[in-house]
Amino acid sequence: MPTTSDFERMLRGVALRVTRPRVAVLSAVHDHPHADTESIIGVVRANLGEVSHQAVYDVLHALTAAGLVRRIQPSGSVARYEARVGDNHHHVVCRSCGAIADVDCAVGEVPCLTASDDNGFLIERAEVIYWGLCPGCSTQQSS
């Protein structure tokens, strides 16, 4: 697990000023993969005390723009954030409880999926979301 000094180095590495809210949000995203904004706000407030919603939204936007976190938003879900960046992984989402897990690409390098027609686009990344039931929900449904 990264330390506070690791987070500070990450921020400096992308030319972002090191602030307590930025370190706290980056730490929260690392500790809680696929967390939504409200959950991140709760973790940050537990660590720092009073921090505004807007401050956390602004930090998440800055960290996403800098490439330190990734924003995902499966259909029908609120935005979620993860610290796993720099690779072309996908996600599996439970259609019952909403749990999300990472799924590595099956084959190849970025992009791991080849479009049948790129329509002239230079494709940089493919995003796939698998939908199904997590182990807990599939056990409940088969009972």
Side-chain angles (χ1 to χ4, degrees), residues 15-110:
L16 286 177
R17 203 170 39 119
V18 174
T19 64
R20 289 183 59 211
R22 285 180 176 163
V23 171
V25 170
L26 193 53
S27 176
V29 172
H30 273 264
D31 291 346
H32 305 279
H34 310 122
D36 62 15
T37 308
E38 289 301 316
S39 300
I40 293 169
I41 289 169
V43 171
V44 170
R45 284 183 174 166
N47 291 330
L48 294 183
E50 185 58 33
V51 176
S52 72
H53 278 73
Q54 191 59 51
V56 174
Y57 279 105
D58 290 346
V59 169
L60 285 168
H61 177 75
L63 296 177
T64 302
L68 292 178
V69 302
R70 180 177 173 192
R71 179 183 187 274
I72 62 169
Q73 189 166 5
S75 179
S77 175
V78 297
R80 307 213 173 232
Y81 296 87
E82 65 181 351
R84 185 175 170 183
V85 296
D87 68 352
N88 193 38
H89 71 279
H90 307 298
H91 297 94
V92 59
V93 180
C94 179
R95 60 183 168 76
S96 180
C97 72
I100 300 174
D102 291 335
V103 177
D104 290 329
C105 284
V107 181
E109 296 185 21
V110 176

